[in-house]
Amino acid sequence: MAERPEDLNLPNAVITRIIKEALPDGVNVSKEARRAISQAASVFVLYATSCANNFAMKAKRKTLNATDVMSAMEEMEFERFLQPLRESLEAYKKGQKGKKEASEQKRKDAKEKKNDVEENDKSREEEEEEEERMEEDQEAENEVEEEEVEN
Amino acid sequence: MAESVAVSVAPLAPTESDPERCEGEEEVRGNEAEENNQQTGPVAGAPQNRLAKLPLSRIKALMKADPDVSLASQESVFIIAKATELFVEMIAKDALVYAQQGKRKTLQRKDLDNAIEAIDEFAFLEGTLDA
């Protein structure tokens, strides 16, 4: 999919919800204002990414990490974001860890159960699906995403 | 979507309840017309801090549009998603001030423009939005 940056908008429904939750009741937002905010948000992502990437490159790293993003926020003069972002990151990391352990446990359980199943066809299906999921989960476990950007 | 159903025969319950939100690995499903992406809707009982409201896959797609960016950690995608949410809140509130000055209860495009012009942190937006 060759998408231009301008084409990549964030979902309107989500943007609208964030706006509504930020503003007091009784305040409305025109369609044009919403569209502009959505666009601004996309520009923000691009700008923050570029800024963060500079920090990664300075540190001779190919992978952009959370610290780079934090540094970018400071650079962009959004220091007010730093504390809430740190808290969110902690919660996120805990959530990811829990999921990893849960998925590993489920895989163990599934494997044991599979051995009991008599129908071979069913086992094979489950195995395929399980392997697919294992791949997904393995990817999720890796913090580094091994994907090359094609340009 | 978030249920882990323990069935005796086939425990095929997905471990990731919101792949869009948590992984950032998924390709963007469908096209941009899919605005009401139900997969990124509120998950019952999920604490707001943990999950981002914006789909990580879309955020990641935007990040990858930068030719200088090769790899990005999952955490970095998540943090940028969260930061973008904070940004949206901030700009909406700042624009509201101008609407209120104009004694209006409806936020309009010109309120956004005024906020962008007046507030230093929004300087990067100048000239970037469609007229």
Side-chain angles (χ1 to χ4, degrees), chain A residues 9 12-13 21-22 28 30 39 45 47 49 53 62 64 77 92-93 99 140 143 145 147 149, chain B residues 22 25 35-36 53 58 60 63-64 68-75 93 105-107 121 124 130:
Chain A
N9 291 318
N12 279 347
E21 286 175 6
N28 295 316
S30 77
Q39 254 193 316
V45 173
Y47 182 35
T49 299
N53 199 44
K62 284 184 77 182
L64 217 149
E77 293 178 41
Y92 177 73
K93 288 206 267 206
K99 277 195 182 74
E143 295 209 335
E145 296 171 351
E147 290 185 45
V149 174
Chain B
C22 302
E25 282 293 341
E35 295 182 351
N36 288 316
K53 294 174 189 144
R58 202 80 70 93
K60 190 173 140 197
M63 290 169 72
K64 283 170 77 171
D68 294 332
V69 173
S70 30
L71 302 169
S73 72
Q74 265 189 304
E75 284 178 2
K93 286 183 178 147
K105 287 202 137 176
T106 300
L107 208 65
E121 288 96 313
F124 72 92
D130 287 345

Side-chain angles (χ1 to χ4, degrees), chain B residues 2 29 36 39 41 50 85 88 91 95 103 107 110 123:
Chain B
R29 310 246 177 93
N36 288 316
Q39 283 172 315
R50 183 171 308 182
E85 289 168 27
V88 169
I91 201 170
K103 301 211 172 51
L107 208 65
K110 60 183 169 186

Side-chain angles (χ1 to χ4, degrees), chain A residues 58-71:
Chain A
K58 252 188 266 179
K60 302 223 168 71
R61 266 182 287 106
K62 284 184 77 182
T63 306
L64 217 149
N65 64 24
T67 317
D68 298 326
V69 179
M70 296 298 189
S71 307

Side-chain angles (χ1 to χ4, degrees), chain A residues 1 3 5 7-15 17-19 21-24 26-30 32-33 35-37 39-50 53 62-66 69-70 73 76-78 80-81 84-85 88-89 91-93 95-96 99 103 106 110 113 117 122 126 129 133 136-137 139-140 142-147 149 151, chain B residues 4 7-17 22-28 32 34-36 40-42 48-51 53-56 58-80 82-93 96 100 105-109 112 120-122 124-125 128-131:
Chain A
M1 267 201 277
E3 309 240 27
D7 293 339
L8 285 164
N9 291 318
L10 300 165
N12 279 347
V14 181
I15 295 286
R17 186 151 53 92
I18 299 173
I19 296 173
E21 286 175 6
L23 301 178
V27 171
N28 295 316
V29 185
S30 77
E32 289 77 22
R35 193 167 56 85
I37 292 180
Q39 254 193 316
S42 295
V43 175
F44 176 84
V45 173
L46 295 172
Y47 182 35
T49 299
S50 174
N53 199 44
K62 284 184 77 182
T63 306
L64 217 149
N65 64 24
V69 179
M70 296 298 189
M73 290 300 122
M76 290 161 69
E77 293 178 41
F78 286 109
R80 61 175 80 184
F81 289 177
L85 287 180
S88 291
L89 182 59
Y92 177 73
K93 288 206 267 206
Q96 291 299 93
K99 277 195 182 74
S103 75
K106 281 202 165 81
K113 282 217 159 89
V117 172
K122 212 163 226 175
E126 288 172 14
E129 290 203 36
R133 211 170 305 115
E136 284 179 14
D137 287 350
E139 285 182 315
N142 296 334
E143 295 209 335
V144 173
E145 296 171 351
E146 303 291 330
E147 290 185 45
V149 174
N151 275 308
Chain B
S4 303
V7 177
S8 56
V9 178
L12 295 179
T15 54
E16 305 273 7
S17 57
C22 302
E23 285 201 56
E25 282 293 341
E26 306 284 332
E27 287 304 312
V28 176
E32 300 311 308
E34 228 182 40
E35 295 182 351
N36 288 316
T40 59
Q48 271 195 354
N49 264 346
R50 183 171 308 182
L51 303 172
K53 294 174 189 144
L54 293 163
L56 296 194
R58 202 80 70 93
I59 298 283
K60 190 173 140 197
L62 268 165
M63 290 169 72
K64 283 170 77 171
D66 185 329
D68 294 332
V69 173
S70 30
L71 302 169
S73 72
Q74 265 189 304
E75 284 178 2
S76 68
V77 179
F78 171 78
I79 294 297
I80 291 200
K82 267 325 251 195
T84 307
E85 289 168 27
L86 294 173
F87 167 80
V88 169
E89 286 173 14
M90 180 177 164
I91 201 170
K93 286 183 178 147
L96 181 64
Q100 286 168 339
K105 287 202 137 176
T106 300
L107 208 65
Q108 289 175 0
R109 169 62 196 261
L112 257 309
D120 287 342
E121 288 96 313
F122 298 146
F124 72 92
L125 289 169
T128 62
L129 305 184
D130 287 345

